[in-house]
Amino acid sequence: MATILITSATLVSASHPLHLTSVDVLVKNGKIEKIAKNIQSDDKKLQVIDAKDSFLSVGFFDLNTNFGEPGYETKEDIKTGTAAAAAGGFTAVAVHPNTNPPIHSRSEVALIVNTAKGNLVDVYPVGTISKKREGKELAELYDMQQTGAIAFSDGNHSVQQAGLMGRALLYAKGFNGLIMSHPEDDSIGGGNQMNEGEVSTYLGMKGIPNLAESIMVSRDLFLAEYNEAPIHFSTISTEESVELIKKAKAKGLKVTCDVAAHNLVFTDEEVKGFDSNLKVNPPLRTKKDIKALLKGLKDGTVDAIVSQHTPHEIEFKNVEFQIAYNGIIASQTVLPLLVKAGLTVEAIVEKLSVGPRVILNIEQPKIEEGATANLVIFSTDKKWIFDGKTNKSKSANSPLFGQELAGKVLAVINNNQILIND
């Protein structure tokens, strides 16, 4: 990578003495060589990035993304998935085990770790909780962690057996492993199409009630408390879940949670158009739920925001809403959605850069002289069109496809590599 000079960037790093001030940053051989108000250089090979009216922070970390590799490479492979992540400002991702075979042994973990080596984006596999994600038998959690698994989840399958979840929490605690819960009671909401409420009644579609999520959040909080184990809830979407987690934190439980960016913007009202790209799990909820989620982000109940990037081929999305698969491609549209949701720049950095690494107990990259450069430069004002030219994913299942969006990632730097979004 050439020597990079970032000029006139507003630094966003709450613990930094230059927080929210304009700085120049010189990056050489993948390391931050100098930070100052104004840097002059006579290096003729210097690559200058004008970041005036833009922000500089530690690279974003996505706690919930899906690549198809292994088995579903037609949806997304590691190469295209990391390209989309980088374009969205992410310098690290945790990939969930919704693959075929699932990431349920050291073999699959090793495949992902080795395939992703040398990438600009750091890729951390999330191993399964149960073998084959069937929810019947505990997977080899410790073996997977030793090979590189960062945490454990059954992906978009919820662990229905309380006993199995309890054993997973207890076992993982012994080696500082983290269990991620996808909270949904299948006996209440399984196989249904959208949020249960006025809109689902109007459309005549079977709904997934808030209860399907909150009852599992409640169960897993009891299990975590009983086993004195940490737990993380992936993609909560309801007012009730926020309240349950807030009370658990007040009691001193080791609980964290995240929310998908699209659940902060879209409501079930949008489903009236039957756009299958708005079919996600958990489903789009109500304005009341969004208000509670935003409040939870502000008061610290919700620790992080994720993309829940879930690519699908056209034959699984360009069909009737009832039979379409759940999920949208989202790595590149997280920032625009958070801008639309009204989050401050400081909140965006806290929930995309800092919070995810705290949850995973990963060392926070630093913006200081001598540190390895792990950076994102972004604007909350600049507009761009998300279409076939700018989309880096293999898939195109997004309700934002073809639209002009406000909030653009200008560049990311990591692992002595740089990506500049033209």
Side-chain angles (χ1 to χ4, degrees), residues 107-330:
S107 299
E108 293 81 31
V109 173
L111 169 70
I112 291 170
V113 169
N114 291 327
T115 305
K117 275 182 180 176
N119 205 295
L120 183 154
V121 179
D122 298 315
V123 179
Y124 296 90
V126 175
T128 63
I129 294 171
S130 67
K131 289 183 179 179
K132 299 181 181 179
R133 297 196 302 143
E134 292 176 346
K136 297 176 181 178
E137 185 180 354
L138 206 61
E140 294 290 346
L141 309 187
Y142 182 70
D143 270 5
M144 287 191 284
Q145 191 206 47
Q146 292 300 295
T147 313
I150 195 70
F152 307 98
S153 164
D154 271 358
N156 56 12
H157 289 186
S158 178
V159 177
Q160 299 298 303
Q161 288 188 18
L164 181 68
M165 178 59 95
R167 289 191 295 276
L169 288 163
L170 183 60
Y171 180 41
K173 182 181 75 168
F175 55 87
N176 295 319
L178 179 64
I179 298 296
M180 293 181 163
S181 168
H182 171 72
E184 182 181 358
D185 188 315
D186 288 347
S187 68
I188 297 174
N192 293 350
Q193 308 300 320
M194 62 174 295
N195 178 61
E196 182 182 273
E198 292 181 10
V199 179
S200 65
T201 303
Y202 169 75
L203 296 176
M205 285 201 283
K206 291 181 179 179
I208 304 170
N210 284 22
L211 180 66
E213 178 176 300
S214 57
I215 202 169
M216 290 297 268
V217 169
S218 182
R219 184 203 75 174
D220 288 349
L221 286 172
F222 274 119
L223 290 170
E225 183 175 20
Y226 180 78
N227 290 288
E228 298 179 345
I231 190 167
H232 176 78
F233 290 98
S234 296
T235 59
I236 64 166
S237 65
T238 70
E239 179 184 23
E240 293 86 347
S241 294
V242 174
E243 284 303 310
L244 285 165
I245 292 167
K246 185 176 183 178
K247 289 177 182 176
K249 286 190 171 189
K251 283 178 67 177
L253 270 66
K254 298 175 183 176
V255 55
T256 53
C257 66
D258 64 56
V259 60
H262 49 263
N263 281 107
L264 297 172
V265 175
F266 298 116
T267 70
D268 58 357
E269 289 285 338
E270 268 94 3
V271 179
K272 287 180 179 178
F274 293 105
D275 181 358
S276 62
N277 287 322
L278 289 166
K279 187 178 181 183
V280 290
N281 185 4
L284 304 176
R285 303 287 187 182
T286 65
K287 289 181 180 178
K288 187 179 179 184
D289 291 304
I290 289 178
K291 186 178 179 181
L293 291 165
L294 290 171
K295 184 180 177 184
L297 285 164
K298 194 171 184 179
D299 67 23
T301 302
V302 182
D303 303 271
I305 298 169
V306 302
S307 73
Q308 204 187 21
H309 177 78
T310 307
H312 288 302
E313 302 93 333
I314 191 169
E315 59 264 32
F316 296 109
K317 274 297 192 178
N318 192 21
V319 292
E320 294 85 352
F321 193 94
Q322 286 85 345
I323 61 173
Y325 279 33
N326 291 312
I328 63 175
I329 57 166

Side-chain angles (χ1 to χ4, degrees), residues 396-409:
N397 51 302
S398 170
L400 298 171
F401 215 70
Q403 294 186 27
E404 184 179 66
L405 308 174
K408 182 178 181 180
V409 172

